[in-house]
Amino acid sequence: MEPTGPNSEQLDSPAGGRAVERALSVLELAAASGGRLRLTDIADKLGIPKSSAHNLLGSLTRTGWLERNPRTREFSLGVRAWEIGHAYVTLKPLTQRAQPVMDSLRDLLGETVRLSVLVDTDNLCVAKSSGTHPLIFDQPVGARLPAHATGLGKALLSGLTTEQITALYPDDKLDVFTSTTLATVRDLEMRLEEARSQGWVEDHGEYVPGIWCVAVPIRDEDDAVVGAMSVSFPVERFAAESEHARRALLQAAAEVSRRLGASHAVIGRG
């Protein structure tokens, strides 16, 4: 994707490229230092003035990539670096373990199967097995869709507490895309309660009219929802195929959860 916005020219410029390279170099140095990185170390190793190193460290600290020990004045990797690393470690096993199961489910049903993770208030598609039947709308790998308006998104949100949902959606009103989109956080929380109790959730054309789906959360060894899997249909096939697809999807999601270390008790939900 091409960079856009007011800073795109700066990112494309040689100076912008050097700034990014310097920031990444600082993170690499912080990772190798064991939390004992000083301003002078940065200036010396990167060959830049201390004033430039100070500004760079300030930016990385403000954005959470670095943390500064107020007593020793040394820098170490911050929580943002941990979050990105944790997401990578989690995501790679998830997609590796899920793809063969998704392909088998696709072969069984002939319908498109997707795997998503939660990113802020969006579901991010990280893997897909394309069905033999065409769809009116197809979410490609890498695309983000609003979680509250999709089956995958609601399956992912079902793993959050009420407090976490409120933090994600501080305003009760939600963006509405079709006549069936949930319009308020209160409505969303009611749907999530249903999803938690039954172990699955449906999307009846809430983002794109005519596309319905069934989605199921995937859990890891800590009982945390780390992903969700769905089967999508055009509305005219949903009534005839949804029950069979739901049973197969629950079994497939349970298998992926088992491969991620989830216990039998967790897998048995729904």
Side-chain angles (χ1 to χ4, degrees):
M1 180 180 294
E2 293 296 326
T4 59
N7 296 321
S8 59
E9 292 184 2
Q10 297 176 16
L11 291 173
D12 289 338
S13 69
R18 285 196 298 273
V20 172
E21 291 171 359
R22 285 176 177 176
L24 293 174
S25 296
V26 171
L27 296 178
E28 291 174 352
L29 290 171
S33 71
R36 303 187 61 85
L37 190 65
R38 293 178 176 272
L39 185 149
T40 53
D41 299 329
I42 298 297
D44 292 343
K45 293 181 183 295
L46 298 185
I48 60 177
K50 287 186 179 181
S51 59
S52 299
H54 181 271
N55 292 335
L56 183 56
L57 290 169
S59 296
L60 291 171
T61 302
R62 285 191 299 274
T63 52
W65 289 97
L66 291 179
E67 292 178 356
R68 181 173 178 268
N69 186 317
R71 183 177 60 83
T72 64
R73 307 181 75 173
E74 294 171 333
F75 293 87
S76 60
L77 288 177
V79 66
R80 186 65 180 138
W82 178 87
E83 289 173 343
I84 295 299
H86 180 71
Y88 174 79
V89 170
T90 301
L91 183 58
K92 191 173 183 181
L94 174 62
T95 55
Q96 287 178 337
R97 287 163 173 76
Q99 191 67 62
V101 179
M102 294 170 61
D103 292 343
S104 296
L105 183 60
R106 181 268 321 276
D107 294 341
L108 174 67
L109 301 175
E111 306 288 356
T112 297
V113 181
R114 290 187 186 80
L115 179 72
S116 283
V117 297
L118 188 65
V119 179
D120 299 322
T121 57
D122 292 333
N123 95 63
L124 169 67
C125 182
V126 295
K128 181 179 73 171
S129 294
S130 297
T132 55
H133 301 293
L135 285 173
I136 302 168
F137 173 81
D138 191 14
Q139 179 186 5
V141 173
R144 293 166 61 150
L145 295 179
H148 75 277
T150 57
L152 280 167
K154 286 190 284 290
L156 292 163
L157 292 172
S158 70
L160 302 183
T161 64
T162 299
E163 291 74 16
Q164 289 172 318
I165 294 296
T166 302
L168 278 179
Y169 301 99
D171 186 349
D172 188 52
K173 292 184 178 180
L174 299 171
D175 291 335
V176 174
F177 302 97
T178 74
S179 62
T180 56
T181 307
L182 300 177
T184 68
V185 175
R186 185 177 304 173
D187 292 336
L188 175 62
E189 289 178 337
M190 291 176 61
R191 185 71 65 83
L192 295 181
E193 277 301 312
E194 294 177 1
R196 294 182 188 109
S197 64
Q198 64 193 13
W200 51 270
V201 65
E202 292 182 354
D203 165 14
H204 294 172
E206 295 169 40
Y207 186 71
V208 176
I211 296 294
W212 290 24
C213 82
V214 182
V216 175
I218 293 171
R219 297 177 181 271
D220 66 6
E221 61 184 357
D222 297 320
D223 191 15
V225 174
V226 294
M229 188 185 301
S230 75
V231 179
S232 300
F233 312 80
V235 63
E236 60 268 17
R237 289 202 304 273
F238 187 84
E241 301 183 32
S242 61
E243 186 174 350
H244 172 51
R246 185 188 308 122
R247 291 197 299 268
L249 181 61
L250 283 165
Q251 292 176 355
E255 173 59 20
V256 177
S257 296
R258 185 192 66 78
R259 295 184 180 195
L260 291 172
S263 68
H264 176 74
V266 171
I267 292 173
R269 291 183 178 180

mmCIF file of all heavy atoms in Angstrom, residues 119-146:
data_model
loop_
_atom_site.group_PDB
_atom_site.id
_atom_site.type_symbol
_atom_site.label_atom_id
_atom_site.label_comp_id
_atom_site.label_asym_id
_atom_site.label_seq_id
_atom_site.Cartn_x
_atom_site.Cartn_y
_atom_site.Cartn_z
ATOM 1 N N VAL A 119 -7.839 -6.313 15.782
ATOM 2 C CA VAL A 119 -6.911 -5.186 15.797
ATOM 3 C C VAL A 119 -7.729 -3.934 16.091
ATOM 4 O O VAL A 119 -8.515 -3.479 15.258
ATOM 5 C CB VAL A 119 -6.173 -5.025 14.450
ATOM 6 C CG1 VAL A 119 -5.233 -3.829 14.509
ATOM 7 C CG2 VAL A 119 -5.402 -6.284 14.105
ATOM 8 N N ASP A 120 -7.574 -3.410 17.297
ATOM 9 C CA ASP A 120 -8.394 -2.286 17.752
ATOM 10 C C ASP A 120 -9.874 -2.680 17.650
ATOM 11 O O ASP A 120 -10.291 -3.619 18.295
ATOM 12 C CB ASP A 120 -8.072 -1.020 16.953
ATOM 13 C CG ASP A 120 -6.619 -0.603 17.119
ATOM 14 O OD1 ASP A 120 -6.097 -0.738 18.242
ATOM 15 O OD2 ASP A 120 -6.009 -0.160 16.138
ATOM 16 N N THR A 121 -10.655 -1.982 16.828
ATOM 17 C CA THR A 121 -12.071 -2.326 16.688
ATOM 18 C C THR A 121 -12.351 -2.979 15.329
ATOM 19 O O THR A 121 -13.487 -2.975 14.857
ATOM 20 C CB THR A 121 -12.950 -1.067 16.834
ATOM 21 O OG1 THR A 121 -12.546 -0.099 15.849
ATOM 22 C CG2 THR A 121 -12.833 -0.465 18.221
ATOM 23 N N ASP A 122 -11.340 -3.560 14.721
ATOM 24 C CA ASP A 122 -11.495 -4.208 13.420
ATOM 25 C C ASP A 122 -11.174 -5.694 13.505
ATOM 26 O O ASP A 122 -10.394 -6.128 14.356
ATOM 27 C CB ASP A 122 -10.561 -3.588 12.380
ATOM 28 C CG ASP A 122 -10.932 -2.159 12.035
ATOM 29 O OD1 ASP A 122 -12.126 -1.812 12.162
ATOM 30 O OD2 ASP A 122 -10.034 -1.394 11.648
ATOM 31 N N ASN A 123 -11.758 -6.460 12.611
ATOM 32 C CA ASN A 123 -11.266 -7.814 12.390
ATOM 33 C C ASN A 123 -10.326 -7.763 11.190
ATOM 34 O O ASN A 123 -10.667 -7.200 10.144
ATOM 35 C CB ASN A 123 -12.426 -8.813 12.220
ATOM 36 C CG ASN A 123 -12.814 -9.087 10.777
ATOM 37 O OD1 ASN A 123 -12.027 -9.611 9.997
ATOM 38 N ND2 ASN A 123 -14.047 -8.728 10.406
ATOM 39 N N LEU A 124 -9.136 -8.289 11.380
ATOM 40 C CA LEU A 124 -8.107 -8.312 10.344
ATOM 41 C C LEU A 124 -8.006 -9.732 9.802
ATOM 42 O O LEU A 124 -7.693 -10.668 10.542
ATOM 43 C CB LEU A 124 -6.752 -7.878 10.909
ATOM 44 C CG LEU A 124 -5.531 -8.096 10.012
ATOM 45 C CD1 LEU A 124 -5.598 -7.207 8.777
ATOM 46 C CD2 LEU A 124 -4.240 -7.834 10.787
ATOM 47 N N CYS A 125 -8.294 -9.913 8.515
ATOM 48 C CA CYS A 125 -8.217 -11.231 7.891
ATOM 49 C C CYS A 125 -6.753 -11.634 7.713
ATOM 50 O O CYS A 125 -5.987 -10.921 7.054
ATOM 51 C CB CYS A 125 -8.932 -11.211 6.545
ATOM 52 S SG CYS A 125 -8.954 -12.803 5.699
ATOM 53 N N VAL A 126 -6.362 -12.770 8.299
ATOM 54 C CA VAL A 126 -4.963 -13.200 8.239
ATOM 55 C C VAL A 126 -4.786 -14.473 7.420
ATOM 56 O O VAL A 126 -3.658 -14.850 7.100
ATOM 57 C CB VAL A 126 -4.383 -13.400 9.657
ATOM 58 C CG1 VAL A 126 -4.333 -12.078 10.405
ATOM 59 C CG2 VAL A 126 -5.182 -14.433 10.453
ATOM 60 N N ALA A 127 -5.880 -15.147 7.084
ATOM 61 C CA ALA A 127 -5.794 -16.346 6.242
ATOM 62 C C ALA A 127 -7.162 -16.611 5.643
ATOM 63 O O ALA A 127 -8.192 -16.226 6.206
ATOM 64 C CB ALA A 127 -5.316 -17.548 7.050
ATOM 65 N N LYS A 128 -7.167 -17.294 4.493
ATOM 66 C CA LYS A 128 -8.430 -17.560 3.801
ATOM 67 C C LYS A 128 -8.296 -18.807 2.954
ATOM 68 O O LYS A 128 -7.234 -19.082 2.391
ATOM 69 C CB LYS A 128 -8.804 -16.361 2.923
ATOM 70 C CG LYS A 128 -10.115 -16.511 2.183
ATOM 71 C CD LYS A 128 -10.444 -15.268 1.355
ATOM 72 C CE LYS A 128 -9.552 -15.164 0.138
ATOM 73 N NZ LYS A 128 -9.994 -14.093 -0.788
ATOM 74 N N SER A 129 -9.376 -19.572 2.895
ATOM 75 C CA SER A 129 -9.492 -20.682 1.951
ATOM 76 C C SER A 129 -10.691 -20.374 1.067
ATOM 77 O O SER A 129 -11.836 -20.393 1.540
ATOM 78 C CB SER A 129 -9.686 -22.008 2.692
ATOM 79 O OG SER A 129 -8.538 -22.361 3.440
ATOM 80 N N SER A 130 -10.450 -20.067 -0.173
ATOM 81 C CA SER A 130 -11.527 -19.629 -1.078
ATOM 82 C C SER A 130 -12.398 -20.802 -1.504
ATOM 83 O O SER A 130 -11.899 -21.850 -1.916
ATOM 84 C CB SER A 130 -10.932 -18.954 -2.310
ATOM 85 O OG SER A 130 -10.233 -17.783 -1.946
ATOM 86 N N GLY A 131 -13.708 -20.615 -1.401
ATOM 87 C CA GLY A 131 -14.649 -21.650 -1.780
ATOM 88 C C GLY A 131 -14.854 -21.725 -3.278
ATOM 89 O O GLY A 131 -14.377 -20.879 -4.037
ATOM 90 N N THR A 132 -15.583 -22.731 -3.679
ATOM 91 C CA THR A 132 -15.851 -22.923 -5.108
ATOM 92 C C THR A 132 -17.013 -22.061 -5.580
ATOM 93 O O THR A 132 -17.185 -21.852 -6.779
ATOM 94 C CB THR A 132 -16.178 -24.398 -5.389
ATOM 95 O OG1 THR A 132 -17.274 -24.809 -4.552
ATOM 96 C CG2 THR A 132 -14.974 -25.282 -5.086
ATOM 97 N N HIS A 133 -17.826 -21.567 -4.630
ATOM 98 C CA HIS A 133 -18.947 -20.701 -4.979
ATOM 99 C C HIS A 133 -18.498 -19.241 -4.923
ATOM 100 O O HIS A 133 -17.840 -18.827 -3.973
ATOM 101 C CB HIS A 133 -20.110 -20.901 -4.013
ATOM 102 C CG HIS A 133 -20.634 -22.297 -3.982
ATOM 103 N ND1 HIS A 133 -21.271 -22.877 -5.055
ATOM 104 C CD2 HIS A 133 -20.622 -23.233 -2.995
ATOM 105 C CE1 HIS A 133 -21.631 -24.109 -4.736
ATOM 106 N NE2 HIS A 133 -21.248 -24.349 -3.495
ATOM 107 N N PRO A 134 -18.871 -18.435 -5.904
ATOM 108 C CA PRO A 134 -18.498 -17.014 -5.874
ATOM 109 C C PRO A 134 -19.283 -16.267 -4.796
ATOM 110 O O PRO A 134 -20.405 -16.640 -4.454
ATOM 111 C CB PRO A 134 -18.865 -16.511 -7.263
ATOM 112 C CG PRO A 134 -19.965 -17.433 -7.710
ATOM 113 C CD PRO A 134 -19.633 -18.773 -7.123
ATOM 114 N N LEU A 135 -18.660 -15.205 -4.260
ATOM 115 C CA LEU A 135 -19.309 -14.355 -3.266
ATOM 116 C C LEU A 135 -19.508 -12.964 -3.835
ATOM 117 O O LEU A 135 -18.718 -12.494 -4.675
ATOM 118 C CB LEU A 135 -18.448 -14.266 -1.998
ATOM 119 C CG LEU A 135 -18.430 -15.487 -1.071
ATOM 120 C CD1 LEU A 135 -17.396 -15.279 0.029
ATOM 121 C CD2 LEU A 135 -19.785 -15.735 -0.460
ATOM 122 N N ILE A 136 -20.570 -12.289 -3.379
ATOM 123 C CA ILE A 136 -20.805 -10.911 -3.793
ATOM 124 C C ILE A 136 -19.697 -10.008 -3.280
ATOM 125 O O ILE A 136 -19.258 -9.081 -3.946
ATOM 126 C CB ILE A 136 -22.164 -10.422 -3.260
ATOM 127 C CG1 ILE A 136 -23.293 -11.334 -3.753
ATOM 128 C CG2 ILE A 136 -22.447 -8.977 -3.683
ATOM 129 C CD1 ILE A 136 -24.611 -11.095 -3.063
ATOM 130 N N PHE A 137 -19.231 -10.285 -2.055
ATOM 131 C CA PHE A 137 -18.177 -9.486 -1.426
ATOM 132 C C PHE A 137 -17.168 -10.437 -0.821
ATOM 133 O O PHE A 137 -17.546 -11.404 -0.150
ATOM 134 C CB PHE A 137 -18.761 -8.582 -0.346
ATOM 135 C CG PHE A 137 -17.706 -7.857 0.471
ATOM 136 C CD1 PHE A 137 -17.115 -6.715 -0.014
ATOM 137 C CD2 PHE A 137 -17.317 -8.344 1.705
ATOM 138 C CE1 PHE A 137 -16.148 -6.053 0.718
ATOM 139 C CE2 PHE A 137 -16.349 -7.692 2.451
ATOM 140 C CZ PHE A 137 -15.766 -6.544 1.948
ATOM 141 N N ASP A 138 -15.891 -10.191 -1.041
ATOM 142 C CA ASP A 138 -14.859 -11.093 -0.557
ATOM 143 C C ASP A 138 -13.800 -10.292 0.199
ATOM 144 O O ASP A 138 -13.133 -9.444 -0.385
ATOM 145 C CB ASP A 138 -14.225 -11.833 -1.739
ATOM 146 C CG ASP A 138 -13.337 -12.972 -1.288
ATOM 147 O OD1 ASP A 138 -13.413 -13.361 -0.107
ATOM 148 O OD2 ASP A 138 -12.557 -13.478 -2.115
ATOM 149 N N GLN A 139 -13.656 -10.554 1.485
ATOM 150 C CA GLN A 139 -12.641 -9.879 2.295
ATOM 151 C C GLN A 139 -11.293 -10.546 2.058
ATOM 152 O O GLN A 139 -11.087 -11.692 2.440
ATOM 153 C CB GLN A 139 -13.003 -9.954 3.781
ATOM 154 C CG GLN A 139 -11.967 -9.280 4.694
ATOM 155 C CD GLN A 139 -12.272 -9.489 6.170
ATOM 156 O OE1 GLN A 139 -13.205 -10.215 6.528
ATOM 157 N NE2 GLN A 139 -11.492 -8.871 7.034
ATOM 158 N N PRO A 140 -10.343 -9.857 1.431
ATOM 159 C CA PRO A 140 -9.042 -10.476 1.163
ATOM 160 C C PRO A 140 -8.160 -10.514 2.402
ATOM 161 O O PRO A 140 -8.403 -9.797 3.380
ATOM 162 C CB PRO A 140 -8.439 -9.561 0.092
ATOM 163 C CG PRO A 140 -9.053 -8.221 0.357
ATOM 164 C CD PRO A 140 -10.441 -8.506 0.861
ATOM 165 N N VAL A 141 -7.137 -11.337 2.362
ATOM 166 C CA VAL A 141 -6.152 -11.373 3.443
ATOM 167 C C VAL A 141 -5.504 -9.997 3.562
ATOM 168 O O VAL A 141 -5.117 -9.386 2.566
ATOM 169 C CB VAL A 141 -5.088 -12.458 3.174
ATOM 170 C CG1 VAL A 141 -3.969 -12.372 4.206
ATOM 171 C CG2 VAL A 141 -5.713 -13.837 3.196
ATOM 172 N N GLY A 142 -5.411 -9.501 4.787
ATOM 173 C CA GLY A 142 -4.844 -8.182 5.042
ATOM 174 C C GLY A 142 -5.871 -7.080 5.157
ATOM 175 O O GLY A 142 -5.539 -5.972 5.574
ATOM 176 N N ALA A 143 -7.122 -7.376 4.784
ATOM 177 C CA ALA A 143 -8.180 -6.356 4.859
ATOM 178 C C ALA A 143 -8.781 -6.317 6.257
ATOM 179 O O ALA A 143 -8.939 -7.340 6.916
ATOM 180 C CB ALA A 143 -9.255 -6.635 3.829
ATOM 181 N N ARG A 144 -9.139 -5.113 6.688
ATOM 182 C CA ARG A 144 -9.764 -4.904 7.992
ATOM 183 C C ARG A 144 -11.208 -4.480 7.806
ATOM 184 O O ARG A 144 -11.504 -3.634 6.967
ATOM 185 C CB ARG A 144 -8.992 -3.839 8.781
ATOM 186 C CG ARG A 144 -7.593 -4.264 9.182
ATOM 187 C CD ARG A 144 -6.725 -3.125 9.655
ATOM 188 N NE ARG A 144 -7.253 -2.447 10.834
ATOM 189 C CZ ARG A 144 -6.485 -1.855 11.756
ATOM 190 N NH1 ARG A 144 -5.166 -1.905 11.649
ATOM 191 N NH2 ARG A 144 -7.027 -1.235 12.770
ATOM 192 N N LEU A 145 -12.089 -5.071 8.593
ATOM 193 C CA LEU A 145 -13.500 -4.713 8.581
ATOM 194 C C LEU A 145 -13.948 -4.429 10.013
ATOM 195 O O LEU A 145 -13.383 -4.988 10.969
ATOM 196 C CB LEU A 145 -14.347 -5.848 7.996
ATOM 197 C CG LEU A 145 -14.108 -6.191 6.526
ATOM 198 C CD1 LEU A 145 -15.003 -7.352 6.109
ATOM 199 C CD2 LEU A 145 -14.340 -4.989 5.627
ATOM 200 N N PRO A 146 -14.949 -3.564 10.191
ATOM 201 C CA PRO A 146 -15.392 -3.224 11.545
ATOM 202 C C PRO A 146 -15.911 -4.441 12.292
ATOM 203 O O PRO A 146 -16.792 -5.158 11.803
ATOM 204 C CB PRO A 146 -16.493 -2.185 11.298
ATOM 205 C CG PRO A 146 -16.904 -2.378 9.878
ATOM 206 C CD PRO A 146 -15.698 -2.845 9.149
#
